[in-house]
């Protein structure tokens, strides 16, 4: 009996050493409850893969929907990205008879996702022309479905991150951020595999089953994630501050380096995101890699991102500066895109694979550092606003940069192959390389924006250290 208890105790001590993010658990937020809370990120990742990856291909190839209509539909969720700051602010100041601030918003965001996914497959089938009725019904229904999913996704993620910040003590937040980002990656990777398997033999019935299955999984996982997470405080409805968004935003944006931080987030996110839809075509068209080899790039990118999250969590957990972590991630990103650029003239698949892995590593460090910095600068009454601002800038920059990358590649490639730039530039890779050079420029700009933020944090730490020393001598 004693030996059994000894073995259990040993395993409990060993858990944080061998399980990723197990040391993120605290007395206030135990590991089981934390893992359950992270499920909302899994459903966000699942919805992102469904919209950007699976449906992108299915609508164009299997359903024969014109590419410009597909592009418009996939861009609709971006309409709600700038509203994330407003959603976060509303969750900060929400008055509820039940005493909840975050739960109602996460739940209604979940219902929006569910509703959009529930009607989406039927709308897409009508959009493809498989109907005896008017085609405009399919256009309208598909637009509504994408709008609902976008609104639900942005609401759920913004307020879910705010709830995690409320529940996690300050010293554990870097590790909690890493766990939440890892849950997002896991949701994207797992759902990509599952969707691929189920749609290997495409049929309209199978499409309906997959998308509505995703809707069911979303409402089940998010409901489980929310169960008994936010403590009820009926007095909060009477004590909630009466504030308007405009004045609150002015106060937040006027805090020291808040605007510079948002600019750095936007530049860095755009720099890391433009390649999202180009890496696999680049590998196939320019480096002549097989379909299996280019598909493996997604795994390399995700593996690099997971490693970046782990490194950032340990670095920040030891008191590291989140802006310095972000700056290191940007520096790695510049090296990564340089490797991708040189892979074409050297015809090196290995150099390309190394560059892709480093893009994931740098992106993981940058995302973790900027999100942690936003959490650290959020007060107890404006957590949702701060994280909503981070999410609004991050999502908008990512969406616009991805949309611009395809246009830049096509236009740049057409100009190069027309001979206007000279014979030496008349190569198929030029369109891709223009995009990668723009990304390098954006990352250099992000590095310039981050520099003063690192120095400001260092001065703040020095002032705190001097103040603590004086207080100690006085005592």
């Amino acid at each position: 009996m004693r030996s059994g208890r000894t073995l259990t105790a040993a395993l409990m001590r060993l858990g944080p050493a061998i399980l990723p993010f197990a040391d993120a658990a605290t007395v206030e937020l135990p590991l089981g409850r934390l893992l359950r809370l992270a499920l909302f990120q899994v459903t966000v990742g699942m919805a992102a893969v469904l919209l950007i990856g699976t449906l992108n291909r299915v609508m164009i190839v299997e359903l024969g929907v014109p590419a410009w209509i597909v592009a418009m539909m996939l861009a609709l969720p971006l309409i709600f990205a700038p509203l994330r700051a407003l959603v976060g602010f509303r969750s900060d100041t929400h008055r509820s008879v039940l005493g909840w601030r975050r739960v109602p918003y996460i739940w209604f965001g979940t219902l929006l996702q569910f509703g959009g996914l529930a009607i989406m497959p039927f709308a897409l089938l009508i959009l493809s022309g498989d109907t005896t009725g008017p085609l405009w019904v399919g256009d309208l229904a598909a637009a509504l479905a994408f709008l609902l999913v976008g609104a639900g996704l942005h609401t759920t993620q913004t307020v879910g991150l705010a709830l995690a910040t409320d529940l996690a003590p300050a010293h554990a937040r870097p590790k909690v951020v890493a766990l939440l980002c890892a849950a997002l990656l896991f949701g994207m990777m797992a759902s990509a595999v599952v969707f691929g398997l189920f749609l290997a033999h495409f049929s309209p019935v199978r499409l309906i089953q997959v998308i509505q299955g995703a809707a069911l999984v979303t409402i089940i996982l998010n409901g489980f994630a929310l169960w008994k997470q936010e403590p009820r405080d009926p007095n909060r409805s009477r004590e909630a501050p009466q504030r308007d968004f405009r004045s609150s935003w002015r106060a937040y944006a006027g805090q020291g380096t808040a605007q510079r931080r948002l600019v750095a987030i936007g530049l860095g996110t755009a720099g890391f995101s433009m390649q999202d839809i180009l890496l696999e075509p680049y590998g196939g068209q320019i480096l002549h890699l097989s379909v299996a080899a280019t598909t493996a790039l997604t795994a390399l990118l995700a593996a690099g991102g997971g490693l970046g999250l782990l490194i950032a969590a340990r670095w920040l957990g030891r008191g590291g500066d989140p802006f310095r972590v972000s700056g290191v991630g940007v520096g790695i990103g510049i090296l990564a895109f340089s490797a991708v650029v040189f892979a074409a003239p050297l015809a090196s698949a290995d150099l390309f694979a190394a560059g892709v892995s480093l893009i994931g590593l740098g992106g993981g460090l940058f995302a973790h550092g900027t999100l942690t910095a936003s959490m650290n600068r959020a007060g107890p009454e404006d957590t949702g606003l701060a994280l909503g601002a981070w999410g609004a800038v991050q999502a908008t920059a990512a969406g616009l940069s991805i949309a611009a990358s395809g246009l830049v590649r096509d236009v740049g490639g057409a100009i190069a192959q027309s001979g206007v730039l000279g014979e030496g530039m008349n190569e198929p890779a030029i369109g891709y390389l223009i995009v990668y050079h723009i990304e390098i420029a954006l990352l250099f700009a992000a590095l310039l924006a981050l520099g003063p933020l690192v120095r400001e944090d260092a001065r703040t730490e020095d002032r705190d250290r001097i103040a603590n020393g004086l207080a100690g001598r006085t005592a």
Side-chain angles (χ1 to χ4, degrees):
M1 189 71 176
R2 181 178 298 174
S3 62
R5 286 197 297 268
T6 304
L7 178 61
T8 301
L11 289 175
M12 291 294 290
R13 288 193 300 271
L14 190 60
I18 63 174
L19 294 176
F21 311 113
D23 54 353
T26 60
V27 175
E28 298 87 349
L29 194 59
L31 183 60
R33 186 178 172 192
L34 179 57
L35 290 174
R36 190 160 54 82
L37 177 62
L39 291 176
F40 80 87
Q41 284 282 73
V42 174
T43 64
V44 168
M46 179 177 64
V49 166
L50 188 63
L51 295 181
I52 299 172
T54 305
L55 290 181
N56 185 19
R57 180 237 156 82
V58 167
M59 290 171 70
I60 293 176
V61 178
E62 277 77 13
L63 298 180
V65 179
W68 68 270
I69 294 181
V70 175
M72 287 184 60
M73 293 298 173
L74 294 179
L76 286 175
L78 283 178
I79 293 175
F80 293 95
L83 299 178
R84 289 174 70 139
L86 177 61
V87 170
F89 168 76
R90 292 297 184 191
S91 72
D92 286 334
T93 58
H94 182 64
R95 290 171 171 263
S96 169
V97 176
L98 297 176
W100 283 323
R101 288 196 301 172
R102 315 294 185 190
V103 167
Y105 282 88
I106 300 176
W107 183 243
F108 282 116
T110 300
L111 292 179
L112 289 172
Q113 278 182 261
F114 176 83
L117 292 173
I119 67 174
M120 185 176 290
F122 304 104
L124 295 182
L125 292 176
I126 297 174
L127 184 66
S128 68
D130 187 10
T131 177
T132 57
L135 291 178
W136 64 264
V137 174
D139 295 335
L140 186 62
L144 177 61
F146 279 96
L147 284 172
L148 288 174
V149 173
L153 186 151
H154 290 303
T155 300
T156 300
Q157 188 177 45
T158 298
V159 185
L161 290 172
L163 177 59
T165 305
D166 293 341
L167 297 177
H171 67 87
R173 284 176 188 167
K175 297 172 183 176
V176 171
V177 169
L179 175 62
L180 294 175
C181 292
L184 180 66
L185 283 175
F186 172 79
M188 295 177 72
M189 294 176 65
S191 57
V193 172
V194 172
F195 293 155
L197 291 175
F198 275 98
L199 292 173
H201 302 288
F202 179 82
S203 69
V205 173
R206 184 62 60 90
L207 178 66
I208 294 171
Q209 291 172 338
V210 166
I211 299 180
Q212 292 198 328
L216 182 61
V217 169
T218 295
I219 202 163
I220 290 175
L221 289 186
N222 283 3
F224 188 55
L226 283 179
W227 183 254
K228 293 187 177 181
Q229 290 285 10
E230 185 179 23
R232 290 179 54 196
D233 183 6
N235 294 325
R236 187 179 286 140
S237 62
R238 295 188 294 270
E239 299 171 357
Q242 292 283 357
R243 295 179 289 159
D244 64 280
F245 176 72
R246 185 174 298 177
S247 60
S248 297
W249 175 254
R250 277 202 219 98
Y252 172 76
Q255 292 175 1
T257 55
Q259 294 184 35
R260 177 177 285 272
R261 182 169 68 249
L262 294 177
V263 169
I265 292 169
L267 289 171
T269 301
F272 278 110
S273 300
M274 286 187 78
Q275 50 73 32
D276 275 3
I277 62 171
L278 298 181
L279 282 181
E280 290 195 35
Y282 179 75
Q285 183 180 356
I286 307 304
L287 298 176
H288 308 293
L289 300 178
S290 65
V291 175
T294 56
T295 303
L297 295 174
T298 304
L300 285 176
L301 195 67
L307 180 60
L309 295 176
L310 282 170
I311 294 173
R314 292 187 179 277
W315 189 349
L316 293 169
R318 294 170 182 167
D321 176 9
F323 293 118
R324 194 177 298 276
V325 172
S326 301
V328 170
V330 170
I332 292 174
I334 293 172
L335 293 176
F337 284 109
S338 300
V340 171
V341 166
F342 282 107
L346 297 176
S348 174
D350 291 337
L351 185 60
F352 180 51
V356 171
S357 301
L358 289 176
I359 290 173
L361 176 62
L365 288 169
F366 177 78
H368 194 305
T370 54
L371 180 53
T372 302
S374 299
M375 279 186 166
N376 290 346
R377 277 149 185 77
E381 297 302 328
D382 62 354
T383 303
L385 176 62
L387 294 176
W390 172 87
V393 173
Q394 190 262 353
T396 304
L400 293 178
S401 62
I402 291 171
S405 65
L407 179 63
V408 171
R409 191 211 67 165
D410 291 345
V411 173
I415 292 174
Q417 293 185 26
S418 69
V420 173
L421 302 179
E423 189 64 29
M425 296 287 284
N426 189 5
E427 296 289 338
I430 296 302
Y432 294 99
L433 298 182
I434 291 174
V435 173
Y436 297 144
H437 280 88
I438 292 174
E439 290 186 280
I440 292 173
L442 287 170
L443 291 178
F444 269 116
L447 207 55
L448 292 175
L450 285 168
L453 298 176
V454 175
R455 290 195 296 271
E456 179 65 26
D457 259 27
R459 285 195 292 267
T460 301
E461 289 179 6
D462 289 340
R463 287 196 297 267
D464 291 344
R465 195 177 300 113
I466 293 171
N468 291 336
L470 290 175
R473 290 194 194 100
T474 303

